[in-house]
mmCIF file of all heavy atoms in Angstrom:
data_model
loop_
_atom_site.group_PDB
_atom_site.id
_atom_site.type_symbol
_atom_site.label_atom_id
_atom_site.label_comp_id
_atom_site.label_asym_id
_atom_site.label_seq_id
_atom_site.Cartn_x
_atom_site.Cartn_y
_atom_site.Cartn_z
ATOM 1 N N TYR A 38 103.997 104.878 66.997
ATOM 2 C CA TYR A 38 104.631 106.130 66.752
ATOM 3 C C TYR A 38 105.835 106.390 67.620
ATOM 4 O O TYR A 38 105.682 106.499 68.820
ATOM 5 C CB TYR A 38 103.615 107.294 66.853
ATOM 6 C CG TYR A 38 102.655 107.440 65.847
ATOM 7 C CD1 TYR A 38 101.416 107.945 66.132
ATOM 8 C CD2 TYR A 38 102.762 107.001 64.546
ATOM 9 C CE1 TYR A 38 100.314 108.052 65.211
ATOM 10 C CE2 TYR A 38 101.840 107.059 63.674
ATOM 11 C CZ TYR A 38 100.581 107.631 63.898
ATOM 12 O OH TYR A 38 99.526 107.674 63.005
ATOM 13 N N ASN A 39 107.023 106.334 67.046
ATOM 14 C CA ASN A 39 108.259 106.515 67.837
ATOM 15 C C ASN A 39 108.361 107.835 68.511
ATOM 16 O O ASN A 39 109.135 107.943 69.535
ATOM 17 C CB ASN A 39 109.436 106.212 66.916
ATOM 18 C CG ASN A 39 109.528 104.857 66.357
ATOM 19 O OD1 ASN A 39 108.809 103.868 66.945
ATOM 20 N ND2 ASN A 39 110.192 104.625 65.322
ATOM 21 N N PHE A 40 107.746 108.809 67.977
ATOM 22 C CA PHE A 40 107.793 110.135 68.629
ATOM 23 C C PHE A 40 107.308 110.107 70.095
ATOM 24 O O PHE A 40 107.866 110.850 70.960
ATOM 25 C CB PHE A 40 106.948 111.108 67.812
ATOM 26 C CG PHE A 40 106.856 112.467 68.421
ATOM 27 C CD1 PHE A 40 107.928 113.421 68.432
ATOM 28 C CD2 PHE A 40 105.718 112.912 69.190
ATOM 29 C CE1 PHE A 40 107.894 114.633 68.955
ATOM 30 C CE2 PHE A 40 105.677 114.134 69.773
ATOM 31 C CZ PHE A 40 106.765 115.005 69.709
ATOM 32 N N ILE A 41 106.325 109.285 70.347
ATOM 33 C CA ILE A 41 105.853 109.135 71.643
ATOM 34 C C ILE A 41 106.973 108.668 72.637
ATOM 35 O O ILE A 41 107.006 109.129 73.764
ATOM 36 C CB ILE A 41 104.652 108.091 71.754
ATOM 37 C CG1 ILE A 41 103.414 108.657 70.882
ATOM 38 C CG2 ILE A 41 104.271 107.732 73.116
ATOM 39 C CD1 ILE A 41 102.304 107.711 70.656
ATOM 40 N N ILE A 42 107.774 107.756 72.166
ATOM 41 C CA ILE A 42 108.891 107.263 72.980
ATOM 42 C C ILE A 42 109.882 108.298 73.279
ATOM 43 O O ILE A 42 110.360 108.552 74.358
ATOM 44 C CB ILE A 42 109.528 106.054 72.384
ATOM 45 C CG1 ILE A 42 108.504 104.878 72.250
ATOM 46 C CG2 ILE A 42 110.855 105.656 73.090
ATOM 47 C CD1 ILE A 42 107.944 104.469 73.620
ATOM 48 N N LEU A 43 110.182 109.158 72.173
ATOM 49 C CA LEU A 43 111.042 110.244 72.411
ATOM 50 C C LEU A 43 110.477 111.368 73.392
ATOM 51 O O LEU A 43 111.247 111.959 74.274
ATOM 52 C CB LEU A 43 111.369 110.998 71.083
ATOM 53 C CG LEU A 43 112.110 110.150 70.031
ATOM 54 C CD1 LEU A 43 112.264 110.815 68.730
ATOM 55 C CD2 LEU A 43 113.497 109.801 70.617
ATOM 56 N N LEU A 44 109.254 111.570 73.334
ATOM 57 C CA LEU A 44 108.607 112.530 74.315
ATOM 58 C C LEU A 44 108.689 111.995 75.758
ATOM 59 O O LEU A 44 109.076 112.660 76.623
ATOM 60 C CB LEU A 44 107.100 112.728 73.934
ATOM 61 C CG LEU A 44 106.259 113.445 74.956
ATOM 62 C CD1 LEU A 44 106.673 114.977 74.954
ATOM 63 C CD2 LEU A 44 104.752 113.412 74.460
ATOM 64 N N LEU A 45 108.389 110.573 75.849
ATOM 65 C CA LEU A 45 108.392 110.032 77.174
ATOM 66 C C LEU A 45 109.893 110.059 77.704
ATOM 67 O O LEU A 45 110.050 110.309 78.900
ATOM 68 C CB LEU A 45 107.962 108.621 77.165
ATOM 69 C CG LEU A 45 106.438 108.486 77.157
ATOM 70 C CD1 LEU A 45 105.988 107.043 76.868
ATOM 71 C CD2 LEU A 45 105.804 108.914 78.365
ATOM 72 N N LEU A 46 110.818 109.740 76.834
ATOM 73 C CA LEU A 46 112.202 109.758 77.292
ATOM 74 C C LEU A 46 112.638 111.089 77.784
ATOM 75 O O LEU A 46 113.297 111.189 78.899
ATOM 76 C CB LEU A 46 113.122 109.295 76.104
ATOM 77 C CG LEU A 46 114.614 109.053 76.373
ATOM 78 C CD1 LEU A 46 114.760 107.820 77.268
ATOM 79 C CD2 LEU A 46 115.398 109.002 75.147
ATOM 80 N N ALA A 47 112.308 112.159 77.058
ATOM 81 C CA ALA A 47 112.661 113.480 77.480
ATOM 82 C C ALA A 47 111.972 113.911 78.749
ATOM 83 O O ALA A 47 112.550 114.444 79.723
ATOM 84 C CB ALA A 47 112.332 114.485 76.394
ATOM 85 N N ASP A 48 110.679 113.449 78.933
ATOM 86 C CA ASP A 48 110.014 113.831 80.111
ATOM 87 C C ASP A 48 110.483 113.080 81.359
ATOM 88 O O ASP A 48 110.608 113.649 82.413
ATOM 89 C CB ASP A 48 108.489 113.648 79.867
ATOM 90 C CG ASP A 48 107.727 114.482 80.972
ATOM 91 O OD1 ASP A 48 107.569 115.696 80.699
ATOM 92 O OD2 ASP A 48 107.315 113.903 81.979
ATOM 93 N N PHE A 49 110.778 111.826 81.200
ATOM 94 C CA PHE A 49 111.361 111.057 82.290
ATOM 95 C C PHE A 49 112.696 111.531 82.684
ATOM 96 O O PHE A 49 112.980 111.610 83.931
ATOM 97 C CB PHE A 49 111.520 109.504 81.915
ATOM 98 C CG PHE A 49 110.271 108.707 82.278
ATOM 99 C CD1 PHE A 49 109.532 108.139 81.221
ATOM 100 C CD2 PHE A 49 109.650 108.583 83.479
ATOM 101 C CE1 PHE A 49 108.422 107.307 81.539
ATOM 102 C CE2 PHE A 49 108.582 107.849 83.798
ATOM 103 C CZ PHE A 49 107.930 107.271 82.796
ATOM 104 N N PHE A 50 113.511 111.932 81.726
ATOM 105 C CA PHE A 50 114.883 112.569 81.981
ATOM 106 C C PHE A 50 114.694 113.871 82.967
ATOM 107 O O PHE A 50 115.365 113.944 83.840
ATOM 108 C CB PHE A 50 115.569 112.882 80.768
ATOM 109 C CG PHE A 50 116.927 113.519 80.904
ATOM 110 C CD1 PHE A 50 117.964 112.767 81.075
ATOM 111 C CD2 PHE A 50 117.095 114.832 80.887
ATOM 112 C CE1 PHE A 50 119.258 113.240 81.271
ATOM 113 C CE2 PHE A 50 118.282 115.481 81.203
ATOM 114 C CZ PHE A 50 119.400 114.630 81.329
ATOM 115 N N VAL A 51 113.817 114.742 82.459
ATOM 116 C CA VAL A 51 113.826 116.017 83.206
ATOM 117 C C VAL A 51 113.210 115.786 84.697
ATOM 118 O O VAL A 51 113.639 116.373 85.682
ATOM 119 C CB VAL A 51 113.022 117.146 82.533
ATOM 120 C CG1 VAL A 51 113.747 117.573 81.246
ATOM 121 C CG2 VAL A 51 111.557 116.806 82.271
ATOM 122 N N ARG A 52 112.327 114.803 84.796
ATOM 123 C CA ARG A 52 111.749 114.545 86.126
ATOM 124 C C ARG A 52 112.774 113.718 86.993
ATOM 125 O O ARG A 52 112.834 113.975 88.154
ATOM 126 C CB ARG A 52 110.394 113.793 86.048
ATOM 127 C CG ARG A 52 109.331 114.695 85.567
ATOM 128 C CD ARG A 52 107.919 114.061 85.553
ATOM 129 N NE ARG A 52 107.795 113.148 84.495
ATOM 130 C CZ ARG A 52 107.545 111.801 84.696
ATOM 131 N NH1 ARG A 52 107.418 111.298 85.851
ATOM 132 N NH2 ARG A 52 107.459 110.991 83.665
ATOM 133 N N ALA A 53 113.512 112.899 86.405
ATOM 134 C CA ALA A 53 114.466 112.009 87.215
ATOM 135 C C ALA A 53 115.613 112.876 87.539
ATOM 136 O O ALA A 53 116.167 112.644 88.691
ATOM 137 C CB ALA A 53 114.940 110.869 86.277
ATOM 138 N N PHE A 54 116.085 113.893 86.867
ATOM 139 C CA PHE A 54 117.249 114.668 87.170
ATOM 140 C C PHE A 54 116.885 116.039 87.721
ATOM 141 O O PHE A 54 117.520 117.014 87.517
ATOM 142 C CB PHE A 54 118.132 114.738 85.942
ATOM 143 C CG PHE A 54 118.737 113.376 85.638
ATOM 144 C CD1 PHE A 54 118.229 112.590 84.563
ATOM 145 C CD2 PHE A 54 119.812 112.878 86.360
ATOM 146 C CE1 PHE A 54 118.710 111.426 84.357
ATOM 147 C CE2 PHE A 54 120.277 111.660 86.133
ATOM 148 C CZ PHE A 54 119.779 110.890 85.064
#
Side-chain angles (χ1 to χ4, degrees):
Y38 290 148
N39 296 339
F40 176 77
I41 294 171
I42 296 304
L43 294 174
L44 173 67
L45 283 170
L46 188 69
D48 201 77
F49 274 119
F50 179 85
V51 297
R52 287 186 288 118
F54 293 100

